Amino acid sequence: MKKILLLTAMIVAGMMTTSCSSNDEEQQNSKAIAFSPSVGVLSRADLKSVWVTEGNDADAFNVLAVSEEAGSPVTLINNEAVSYQNGLWQTASKHYWPAYNAEINFYAYYPTSLSEVFNYNAGNAPTLTYAVPAAAADQVDILAASAAHTPSASSSVVDLEFNHMLSGLYFTYQSDGVAGTIKSISISNHYSAGTYTFGTGWASLNTQRSLTLTPNVEVSLAESANKVVVPVTSPYLVMPQTLTDGSTITVVFEDAKGITHNLSAPLTQLAWPAGKLVEYIVSISSIFELNITSSIQAWAATVANQVEVNIN
């Protein structure tokens, strides 16, 4: 089942103290590293919030922590799972702030299963190599966060603000003089895989494919507002990109007389930005002219821009 994360408040996580060991530099600070994860976005309302105070294993995320001591990278937390335990978000084996005050870079991702495609080479930013599943039911709302923190900071709890790594598509219908059924919606020639570099974003996109959604939604002449075809609460997830020449959207529409119409429009150079939702508003006139209006929005539903395409 596709999992889309909800708007959540930041979890206020405290610190735990323990006795220090003179033989373990990491423990000389005597303060355990804890995390405060948050997702400041709108998402699927029919799933429970993650990262609530009753966190469970499904809410766990992985963290890599690297510091620079004497010009050389030192790994403090090596791609370990963080879960909610005893009132704190921590790794299973506690890690402690080092005695030195060098800045520590934290890289986090959700879900933990992404560890299979996570790569880190000392001296370089970590990467995730990922392919978006074609079936909506298999898709997961993957998240990433990064933060810098020093042991001398006023709080030793690391705030991790996660962001959506993918783009999400949803579709609505606006009545324009025709009734019938939207049988399917297809978009051709888009990339479905790539490599994500923390702090940089997606690159090396590959594996072109087409997507086809079959909402089979009836629409009438009396729609007073946009009819939901594919809901914003469960968008179809895609690799962020700018569509290439030759990308098209095709709507298969069956009118009230049972006649099927295959209507297509080009989508050249329309961006699918990371962490954004793209709404496609479909309208079909009485002479079967297809009109597609596309609004690019933040996950919090702030409209950024619109692109309109008309085709007979």
Side-chain angles (χ1 to χ4, degrees):
M1 179 178 182
K2 182 189 296 185
K3 186 171 185 180
I4 306 290
L5 302 186
L6 291 172
L7 175 66
T8 61
M10 183 174 293
I11 312 299
V12 180
M15 301 180 300
M16 293 188 69
T17 59
T18 187
S19 57
C20 62
S21 167
S22 59
N23 296 323
D24 189 346
E25 180 183 33
E26 193 178 314
Q27 295 190 29
Q28 286 180 7
N29 192 300
S30 79
K31 296 179 180 179
I33 300 174
F35 300 92
S36 175
S38 65
V39 188
V41 292
L42 179 67
S43 192
R44 189 169 181 166
D46 60 340
L47 294 175
K48 76 174 190 65
S49 297
V50 301
W51 300 328
V52 294
T53 53
E54 297 82 11
N56 57 48
D57 290 342
D59 305 333
F61 53 90
N62 271 30
V63 168
L64 169 75
V66 180
S67 71
E68 291 285 340
E69 183 187 13
S72 299
V74 176
T75 300
L76 300 179
I77 302 177
N78 190 12
N79 193 25
E80 297 179 32
V82 174
S83 60
Y84 190 78
Q85 46 189 310
N86 300 320
L88 295 171
W89 285 94
Q90 292 182 320
T91 52
S93 298
K94 293 182 177 60
H95 294 273
Y96 297 84
W97 293 99
Y100 55 85
N101 289 327
E103 185 174 76
I104 302 172
N105 292 309
F106 294 88
Y107 307 96
Y109 59 85
Y110 172 92
T112 57
S113 59
L114 290 177
S115 62
E116 299 176 2
V117 294
F118 180 83
N119 296 285
Y120 171 65
N121 294 314
N124 298 303
T127 62
L128 286 163
T129 302
Y130 188 73
V132 183
D138 297 331
Q139 293 183 335
V140 176
D141 187 12
I142 61 175
L143 308 175
S146 58
H149 202 96
T150 60
S152 60
S154 58
S155 172
S156 61
V157 176
V158 181
D159 293 329
L160 292 174
E161 183 175 348
F162 284 81
N163 295 300
H164 294 274
M165 296 171 66
L166 301 177
S167 299
L169 310 182
Y170 70 101
F171 298 82
T172 59
Y173 179 81
Q174 187 175 64
S175 180
D176 190 22
V178 67
T181 302
I182 296 178
K183 307 294 286 186
S184 68
I185 299 173
S186 302
I187 295 180
S188 66
N189 299 333
H190 67 280
Y191 292 109
S192 61
T195 298
Y196 180 87
T197 301
F198 283 79
T200 302
W202 291 100
S204 302
L205 301 186
N206 60 86
T207 313
Q208 277 200 336
R209 71 179 181 214
S210 298
L211 68 88
T212 298
L213 306 175
T214 54
N216 204 38
V217 171
E218 293 185 6
V219 295
S220 71
L221 298 177
E223 304 291 351
S224 59
N226 285 6
K227 173 89 172 185
V228 173
V229 179
V230 175
V232 64
T233 52
S234 187
Y236 186 84
L237 301 178
V238 292
M239 181 62 57
Q241 62 197 277
T242 296
L243 297 176
T244 59
D245 291 340
S247 296
T248 59
I249 181 170
T250 299
V251 176
V252 177
F253 183 78
E254 183 180 280
D255 65 25
K257 296 180 180 180
I259 300 173
T260 299
H261 304 265
N262 292 285
L263 308 172
S264 297
L267 289 178
T268 304
Q269 300 304 316
L270 179 60
W272 291 346
K276 301 289 186 180
L277 293 174
V278 179
E279 178 188 14
Y280 289 116
I281 304 172
V282 178
S283 63
I284 301 170
S285 72
S286 59
I287 58 173
F288 299 102
E289 178 186 74
L290 174 66
N291 181 72
I292 303 291
T293 301
S294 178
S295 65
I296 301 176
Q297 308 175 7
W299 286 77
T302 300
V303 176
N305 65 294
Q306 292 188 334
V307 178
E308 186 170 293
V309 178
N310 292 282
I311 190 167
N312 294 328

CSV table of all heavy atoms in Angstrom, one decimal, residues 30-85:
chain,number,residue,atom,x,y,z
A,30,SER,N,29.6,13.0,27.4
A,30,SER,CA,28.6,12.4,28.3
A,30,SER,C,27.2,12.7,27.9
A,30,SER,O,26.3,12.3,28.6
A,30,SER,CB,28.8,12.8,29.7
A,30,SER,OG,28.3,14.1,30.0
A,31,LYS,N,26.9,13.3,26.7
A,31,LYS,CA,25.6,13.6,26.3
A,31,LYS,C,25.3,12.7,25.0
A,31,LYS,O,26.0,12.7,24.1
A,31,LYS,CB,25.4,15.0,25.9
A,31,LYS,CG,25.6,16.0,27.1
A,31,LYS,CD,25.4,17.4,26.7
A,31,LYS,CE,25.6,18.4,27.9
A,31,LYS,NZ,25.4,19.8,27.5
A,32,ALA,N,24.2,12.0,25.1
A,32,ALA,CA,23.8,11.1,24.0
A,32,ALA,C,23.1,12.0,22.9
A,32,ALA,O,22.4,12.9,23.1
A,32,ALA,CB,22.8,10.1,24.5
A,33,ILE,N,23.4,11.6,21.6
A,33,ILE,CA,22.9,12.3,20.5
A,33,ILE,C,21.4,11.8,20.3
A,33,ILE,O,21.1,10.6,20.3
A,33,ILE,CB,23.7,12.0,19.2
A,33,ILE,CG1,25.1,12.5,19.4
A,33,ILE,CG2,23.0,12.7,18.0
A,33,ILE,CD1,26.0,12.1,18.2
A,34,ALA,N,20.5,12.8,20.2
A,34,ALA,CA,19.1,12.5,20.0
A,34,ALA,C,18.6,13.4,18.9
A,34,ALA,O,19.3,14.3,18.4
A,34,ALA,CB,18.3,12.8,21.3
A,35,PHE,N,17.4,13.0,18.3
A,35,PHE,CA,16.9,13.7,17.1
A,35,PHE,C,15.5,14.1,17.3
A,35,PHE,O,14.7,13.6,18.1
A,35,PHE,CB,17.0,12.7,16.0
A,35,PHE,CG,18.3,12.2,15.6
A,35,PHE,CD1,18.8,11.1,16.2
A,35,PHE,CD2,19.2,13.0,14.8
A,35,PHE,CE1,20.1,10.6,15.9
A,35,PHE,CE2,20.5,12.6,14.5
A,35,PHE,CZ,20.9,11.4,15.1
A,36,SER,N,15.1,15.2,16.6
A,36,SER,CA,13.8,15.7,16.6
A,36,SER,C,13.3,15.8,15.1
A,36,SER,O,13.6,16.7,14.4
A,36,SER,CB,13.7,17.1,17.2
A,36,SER,OG,12.4,17.6,17.1
A,37,PRO,N,12.6,14.7,14.6
A,37,PRO,CA,12.2,14.7,13.2
A,37,PRO,C,10.9,15.4,13.0
A,37,PRO,O,10.0,15.4,13.9
A,37,PRO,CB,12.0,13.2,13.0
A,37,PRO,CG,11.6,12.6,14.3
A,37,PRO,CD,12.3,13.5,15.3
A,38,SER,N,10.7,16.0,11.8
A,38,SER,CA,9.5,16.6,11.5
A,38,SER,C,9.3,16.6,10.0
A,38,SER,O,10.2,16.5,9.2
A,38,SER,CB,9.4,18.1,12.0
A,38,SER,OG,10.4,18.9,11.3
A,39,VAL,N,8.0,16.7,9.5
A,39,VAL,CA,7.7,16.8,8.1
A,39,VAL,C,6.7,17.9,8.0
A,39,VAL,O,5.6,17.8,8.3
A,39,VAL,CB,7.1,15.5,7.5
A,39,VAL,CG1,7.0,15.6,6.0
A,39,VAL,CG2,7.9,14.3,7.9
A,40,GLY,N,7.1,19.1,7.5
A,40,GLY,CA,6.3,20.3,7.5
A,40,GLY,C,5.5,20.3,6.2
A,40,GLY,O,5.6,21.2,5.4
A,41,VAL,N,4.7,19.3,5.9
A,41,VAL,CA,4.0,19.2,4.6
A,41,VAL,C,2.6,18.6,4.8
A,41,VAL,O,2.3,18.0,5.8
A,41,VAL,CB,4.8,18.3,3.6
A,41,VAL,CG1,6.1,18.9,3.2
A,41,VAL,CG2,5.1,16.9,4.2
A,42,LEU,N,1.8,18.7,3.7
A,42,LEU,CA,0.5,18.1,3.7
A,42,LEU,C,0.6,16.8,3.0
A,42,LEU,O,1.3,16.6,2.1
A,42,LEU,CB,-0.5,19.0,3.0
A,42,LEU,CG,-1.9,18.5,2.8
A,42,LEU,CD1,-2.6,18.5,4.2
A,42,LEU,CD2,-2.7,19.4,1.8
A,43,SER,N,-0.2,15.8,3.5
A,43,SER,CA,-0.1,14.5,2.9
A,43,SER,C,-1.4,13.7,3.1
A,43,SER,O,-2.4,14.3,3.4
A,43,SER,CB,1.1,13.8,3.4
A,43,SER,OG,1.4,12.7,2.6
A,44,ARG,N,-1.3,12.5,3.2
A,44,ARG,CA,-2.5,11.6,3.1
A,44,ARG,C,-3.2,11.5,4.4
A,44,ARG,O,-2.7,11.1,5.4
A,44,ARG,CB,-2.1,10.2,2.6
A,44,ARG,CG,-3.2,9.3,2.3
A,44,ARG,CD,-2.7,8.1,1.6
A,44,ARG,NE,-3.8,7.2,1.3
A,44,ARG,CZ,-3.7,6.2,0.5
A,44,ARG,NH1,-2.5,5.9,-0.1
A,44,ARG,NH2,-4.7,5.4,0.2
A,45,ALA,N,-4.5,11.9,4.4
A,45,ALA,CA,-5.3,12.1,5.7
A,45,ALA,C,-5.8,10.8,6.2
A,45,ALA,O,-6.3,10.7,7.3
A,45,ALA,CB,-6.4,13.1,5.5
A,46,ASP,N,-5.8,9.7,5.4
A,46,ASP,CA,-6.3,8.5,5.9
A,46,ASP,C,-5.3,7.6,6.6
A,46,ASP,O,-5.6,6.4,6.9
A,46,ASP,CB,-7.0,7.7,4.8
A,46,ASP,CG,-6.1,7.3,3.7
A,46,ASP,OD1,-5.0,8.0,3.6
A,46,ASP,OD2,-6.4,6.4,2.9
A,47,LEU,N,-4.1,8.1,6.7
A,47,LEU,CA,-3.1,7.3,7.4
A,47,LEU,C,-2.7,8.1,8.7
A,47,LEU,O,-2.8,9.3,8.7
A,47,LEU,CB,-1.8,7.1,6.5
A,47,LEU,CG,-2.0,6.3,5.3
A,47,LEU,CD1,-0.7,6.3,4.5
A,47,LEU,CD2,-2.3,4.8,5.7
A,48,LYS,N,-2.3,7.3,9.7
A,48,LYS,CA,-1.9,8.0,10.9
A,48,LYS,C,-0.6,8.8,10.8
A,48,LYS,O,0.2,8.6,9.9
A,48,LYS,CB,-1.6,7.0,12.0
A,48,LYS,CG,-0.3,6.2,11.9
A,48,LYS,CD,-0.1,5.3,13.1
A,48,LYS,CE,1.3,4.8,13.1
A,48,LYS,NZ,2.3,5.8,13.3
A,49,SER,N,-0.4,9.8,11.6
A,49,SER,CA,0.8,10.6,11.6
A,49,SER,C,2.0,9.7,12.0
A,49,SER,O,1.9,8.8,12.8
A,49,SER,CB,0.7,11.7,12.6
A,49,SER,OG,-0.3,12.6,12.3
A,50,VAL,N,3.1,9.9,11.3
A,50,VAL,CA,4.3,9.3,11.8
A,50,VAL,C,5.1,10.3,12.6
A,50,VAL,O,4.8,11.5,12.7
A,50,VAL,CB,5.2,8.9,10.6
A,50,VAL,CG1,4.5,8.0,9.6
A,50,VAL,CG2,5.7,10.1,9.8
A,51,TRP,N,6.0,9.7,13.4
A,51,TRP,CA,6.8,10.5,14.3
A,51,TRP,C,6.0,11.2,15.4
A,51,TRP,O,6.3,12.3,15.7
A,51,TRP,CB,7.7,11.5,13.5
A,51,TRP,CG,8.6,10.8,12.6
A,51,TRP,CD1,9.1,9.5,12.8
A,51,TRP,CD2,9.0,11.2,11.3
A,51,TRP,NE1,9.9,9.2,11.7
A,51,TRP,CE2,9.8,10.1,10.8
A,51,TRP,CE3,8.8,12.3,10.5
A,51,TRP,CZ2,10.4,10.2,9.5
A,51,TRP,CZ3,9.4,12.4,9.3
A,51,TRP,CH2,10.2,11.4,8.8
A,52,VAL,N,5.0,10.5,15.8
A,52,VAL,CA,4.3,11.0,17.0
A,52,VAL,C,5.0,10.4,18.2
A,52,VAL,O,5.9,9.6,18.1
A,52,VAL,CB,2.8,10.5,17.0
A,52,VAL,CG1,2.0,11.2,15.8
A,52,VAL,CG2,2.7,9.0,16.8
A,53,THR,N,4.6,10.8,19.4
A,53,THR,CA,5.3,10.4,20.6
A,53,THR,C,5.1,8.9,20.9
A,53,THR,O,5.9,8.4,21.7
A,53,THR,CB,4.8,11.2,21.8
A,53,THR,OG1,3.3,11.1,21.9
A,53,THR,CG2,5.1,12.6,21.7
A,54,GLU,N,4.2,8.3,20.2
A,54,GLU,CA,4.1,6.8,20.3
A,54,GLU,C,4.7,6.1,19.1
A,54,GLU,O,4.2,5.1,18.6
A,54,GLU,CB,2.6,6.4,20.4
A,54,GLU,CG,1.8,6.9,21.6
A,54,GLU,CD,1.3,8.3,21.4
A,54,GLU,OE1,1.4,8.8,20.3
A,54,GLU,OE2,0.9,8.9,22.4
A,55,GLY,N,5.8,6.6,18.6
A,55,GLY,CA,6.5,6.1,17.5
A,55,GLY,C,6.7,4.6,17.5
A,55,GLY,O,6.9,4.0,18.6
A,56,ASN,N,6.7,4.0,16.4
A,56,ASN,CA,6.9,2.5,16.3
A,56,ASN,C,7.9,2.2,15.2
A,56,ASN,O,8.5,3.1,14.6
A,56,ASN,CB,5.6,1.8,16.0
A,56,ASN,CG,4.9,2.3,14.8
A,56,ASN,OD1,5.5,2.4,13.7
A,56,ASN,ND2,3.6,2.6,14.9
A,57,ASP,N,8.2,0.9,15.0
A,57,ASP,CA,9.2,0.5,14.1
A,57,ASP,C,9.0,1.0,12.7
A,57,ASP,O,9.9,1.3,11.9
A,57,ASP,CB,9.3,-1.0,14.1
A,57,ASP,CG,9.9,-1.6,15.4
A,57,ASP,OD1,10.5,-0.8,16.1
A,57,ASP,OD2,9.8,-2.8,15.6
A,58,ALA,N,7.7,1.2,12.3
A,58,ALA,CA,7.4,1.6,10.9
A,58,ALA,C,7.8,3.1,10.7
A,58,ALA,O,8.0,3.6,9.6
A,58,ALA,CB,5.9,1.5,10.6
A,59,ASP,N,8.0,3.8,11.8
A,59,ASP,CA,8.3,5.2,11.7
A,59,ASP,C,9.9,5.5,11.8
A,59,ASP,O,10.3,6.6,11.7
A,59,ASP,CB,7.7,6.0,12.9
A,59,ASP,CG,6.2,5.8,13.0
A,59,ASP,OD1,5.6,5.6,11.9
A,59,ASP,OD2,5.7,5.9,14.1
A,60,ALA,N,10.6,4.4,11.9
A,60,ALA,CA,12.1,4.6,12.0
A,60,ALA,C,12.7,5.1,10.7
A,60,ALA,O,12.2,4.9,9.6
A,60,ALA,CB,12.7,3.2,12.3
A,61,PHE,N,13.8,5.9,10.9
A,61,PHE,CA,14.5,6.4,9.8
A,61,PHE,C,16.0,6.1,10.0
A,61,PHE,O,16.4,5.8,11.1
A,61,PHE,CB,14.3,7.9,9.6
A,61,PHE,CG,14.5,8.7,10.8
A,61,PHE,CD1,15.7,9.3,11.1
A,61,PHE,CD2,13.4,8.9,11.7
A,61,PHE,CE1,15.9,10.1,12.2
A,61,PHE,CE2,13.6,9.7,12.8
A,61,PHE,CZ,14.9,10.3,13.1
A,62,ASN,N,16.8,6.2,9.0
A,62,ASN,CA,18.3,6.0,9.1
A,62,ASN,C,19.0,7.3,9.1
A,62,ASN,O,18.6,8.3,8.5
A,62,ASN,CB,18.8,5.1,8.0
A,62,ASN,CG,18.7,3.6,8.3
A,62,ASN,OD1,17.8,3.2,9.0
A,62,ASN,ND2,19.5,2.8,7.7
A,63,VAL,N,20.2,7.3,9.8
A,63,VAL,CA,21.0,8.4,9.9
A,63,VAL,C,22.5,8.1,9.7
A,63,VAL,O,23.0,7.0,10.2
A,63,VAL,CB,20.9,9.1,11.3
A,63,VAL,CG1,22.0,10.2,11.5
A,63,VAL,CG2,19.5,9.8,11.4
A,64,LEU,N,23.2,8.9,9.0
A,64,LEU,CA,24.6,8.9,8.9
A,64,LEU,C,25.1,10.2,9.5
A,64,LEU,O,24.6,11.3,9.2
A,64,LEU,CB,25.1,8.8,7.4
A,64,LEU,CG,26.6,9.1,7.1
A,64,LEU,CD1,27.4,7.9,7.6
A,64,LEU,CD2,26.8,9.3,5.6
A,65,ALA,N,26.1,10.2,10.4
A,65,ALA,CA,26.7,11.4,11.0
A,65,ALA,C,28.2,11.4,10.7
A,65,ALA,O,28.9,10.4,11.0
A,65,ALA,CB,26.4,11.4,12.4
A,66,VAL,N,28.7,12.5,10.1
A,66,VAL,CA,30.1,12.6,9.8
A,66,VAL,C,30.6,13.9,10.3
A,66,VAL,O,30.0,15.0,10.1
A,66,VAL,CB,30.3,12.5,8.3
A,66,VAL,CG1,31.8,12.6,7.9
A,66,VAL,CG2,29.7,11.2,7.7
A,67,SER,N,31.8,13.9,11.0
A,67,SER,CA,32.4,15.1,11.4
A,67,SER,C,33.8,15.3,10.7
A,67,SER,O,34.3,14.4,10.2
A,67,SER,CB,32.6,15.1,12.9
A,67,SER,OG,33.6,14.2,13.3
A,68,GLU,N,34.3,16.5,10.8
A,68,GLU,CA,35.6,16.8,10.3
A,68,GLU,C,36.6,17.1,11.4
A,68,GLU,O,36.4,18.1,12.1
A,68,GLU,CB,35.6,18.0,9.3
A,68,GLU,CG,34.8,17.7,8.0
A,68,GLU,CD,35.6,16.9,7.0
A,68,GLU,OE1,36.9,16.9,7.2
A,68,GLU,OE2,35.0,16.3,6.1
A,69,GLU,N,37.4,16.2,11.7
A,69,GLU,CA,38.4,16.4,12.8
A,69,GLU,C,39.8,16.4,12.2
A,69,GLU,O,40.2,15.4,11.5
A,69,GLU,CB,38.3,15.3,13.8
A,69,GLU,CG,39.3,15.5,15.0
A,69,GLU,CD,39.3,14.3,16.0
A,69,GLU,OE1,38.8,13.3,15.6
A,69,GLU,OE2,39.8,14.5,17.1
A,70,ALA,N,40.5,17.5,12.3
A,70,ALA,CA,41.9,17.7,11.8
A,70,ALA,C,41.9,17.4,10.3
A,70,ALA,O,42.8,16.9,9.7
A,70,ALA,CB,42.8,16.7,12.5
A,71,GLY,N,40.8,17.9,9.6
A,71,GLY,CA,40.7,17.8,8.2
A,71,GLY,C,40.3,16.5,7.6
A,71,GLY,O,40.3,16.3,6.4
A,72,SER,N,40.1,15.5,8.4
A,72,SER,CA,39.7,14.2,7.9
A,72,SER,C,38.3,13.8,8.4
A,72,SER,O,37.9,14.1,9.5
A,72,SER,CB,40.7,13.1,8.5
A,72,SER,OG,42.0,13.4,8.0
A,73,PRO,N,37.5,13.2,7.5
A,73,PRO,CA,36.1,12.9,7.9
A,73,PRO,C,36.1,11.7,8.9
A,73,PRO,O,36.8,10.7,8.7
A,73,PRO,CB,35.4,12.5,6.6
A,73,PRO,CG,36.6,12.1,5.7
A,73,PRO,CD,37.7,12.9,6.1
A,74,VAL,N,35.3,11.8,9.9
A,74,VAL,CA,35.2,10.8,10.9
A,74,VAL,C,33.7,10.4,11.0
A,74,VAL,O,32.8,11.3,11.2
A,74,VAL,CB,35.6,11.3,12.3
A,74,VAL,CG1,35.4,10.2,13.4
A,74,VAL,CG2,37.1,11.7,12.3
A,75,THR,N,33.4,9.2,10.8
A,75,THR,CA,32.0,8.7,10.9
A,75,THR,C,31.6,8.4,12.3
A,75,THR,O,32.2,7.5,13.0
A,75,THR,CB,31.8,7.4,10.0
A,75,THR,OG1,32.1,7.7,8.7
A,75,THR,CG2,30.3,6.9,10.1
A,76,LEU,N,30.6,9.1,12.8
A,76,LEU,CA,30.1,9.0,14.2
A,76,LEU,C,28.9,8.0,14.3
A,76,LEU,O,28.8,7.2,15.2
A,76,LEU,CB,29.8,10.3,14.8
A,76,LEU,CG,30.9,11.3,14.9
A,76,LEU,CD1,30.4,12.6,15.5
A,76,LEU,CD2,32.1,10.8,15.7
A,77,ILE,N,28.0,8.1,13.3
A,77,ILE,CA,26.9,7.2,13.2
A,77,ILE,C,26.9,6.7,11.8
A,77,ILE,O,26.8,7.4,10.8
A,77,ILE,CB,25.6,7.9,13.5
A,77,ILE,CG1,25.6,8.5,14.9
A,77,ILE,CG2,24.4,6.9,13.4
A,77,ILE,CD1,24.4,9.3,15.3
A,78,ASN,N,27.0,5.4,11.6
A,78,ASN,CA,27.2,4.8,10.3
A,78,ASN,C,26.0,4.2,9.8
A,78,ASN,O,25.7,3.0,9.8
A,78,ASN,CB,28.3,3.7,10.4
A,78,ASN,CG,28.8,3.2,9.0
A,78,ASN,OD1,28.4,3.8,8.0
A,78,ASN,ND2,29.5,2.2,9.0
A,79,ASN,N,25.1,5.0,9.2
A,79,ASN,CA,23.9,4.6,8.5
A,79,ASN,C,23.0,3.7,9.4
A,79,ASN,O,22.6,2.5,9.0
A,79,ASN,CB,24.3,3.9,7.2
A,79,ASN,CG,23.1,3.6,6.3
A,79,ASN,OD1,22.1,4.4,6.4
A,79,ASN,ND2,23.2,2.6,5.5
A,80,GLU,N,22.7,4.1,10.6
A,80,GLU,CA,22.0,3.3,11.6
A,80,GLU,C,20.5,3.8,11.7
A,80,GLU,O,20.2,5.0,11.5
A,80,GLU,CB,22.6,3.4,13.0
A,80,GLU,CG,24.0,2.8,13.0
A,80,GLU,CD,24.7,3.0,14.4
A,80,GLU,OE1,24.0,2.9,15.4
A,80,GLU,OE2,25.9,3.1,14.4
A,81,ALA,N,19.6,2.9,12.1
A,81,ALA,CA,18.2,3.2,12.3
A,81,ALA,C,18.0,4.0,13.6
A,81,ALA,O,18.6,3.7,14.6
A,81,ALA,CB,17.4,1.9,12.3
A,82,VAL,N,17.1,5.0,13.5
A,82,VAL,CA,16.7,5.8,14.6
A,82,VAL,C,15.3,5.5,14.9
A,82,VAL,O,14.4,5.6,14.0
A,82,VAL,CB,16.9,7.3,14.3
A,82,VAL,CG1,16.3,8.2,15.5
A,82,VAL,CG2,18.4,7.6,14.1
A,83,SER,N,14.9,5.2,16.1
A,83,SER,CA,13.6,4.9,16.5
A,83,SER,C,13.2,5.6,17.8
A,83,SER,O,14.1,6.1,18.5
A,83,SER,CB,13.4,3.3,16.6
A,83,SER,OG,14.2,2.8,17.6
A,84,TYR,N,11.9,5.6,18.1
A,84,TYR,CA,11.5,6.2,19.4
A,84,TYR,C,11.5,5.3,20.5
A,84,TYR,O,10.8,4.2,20.5
A,84,TYR,CB,10.1,6.7,19.1
A,84,TYR,CG,9.5,7.7,20.2
A,84,TYR,CD1,9.9,9.0,20.3
A,84,TYR,CD2,8.7,7.2,21.2
A,84,TYR,CE1,9.5,9.8,21.2
A,84,TYR,CE2,8.2,8.0,22.2
A,84,TYR,CZ,8.6,9.4,22.2
A,84,TYR,OH,8.1,10.2,23.2
A,85,GLN,N,12.3,5.6,21.5
A,85,GLN,CA,12.5,4.7,22.7
A,85,GLN,C,12.7,5.5,23.9
A,85,GLN,O,13.5,6.4,24.0
A,85,GLN,CB,13.7,3.7,22.4
A,85,GLN,CG,14.9,4.4,21.9
A,85,GLN,CD,16.0,3.5,21.5
A,85,GLN,OE1,16.4,2.6,22.2
A,85,GLN,NE2,16.6,3.7,20.3
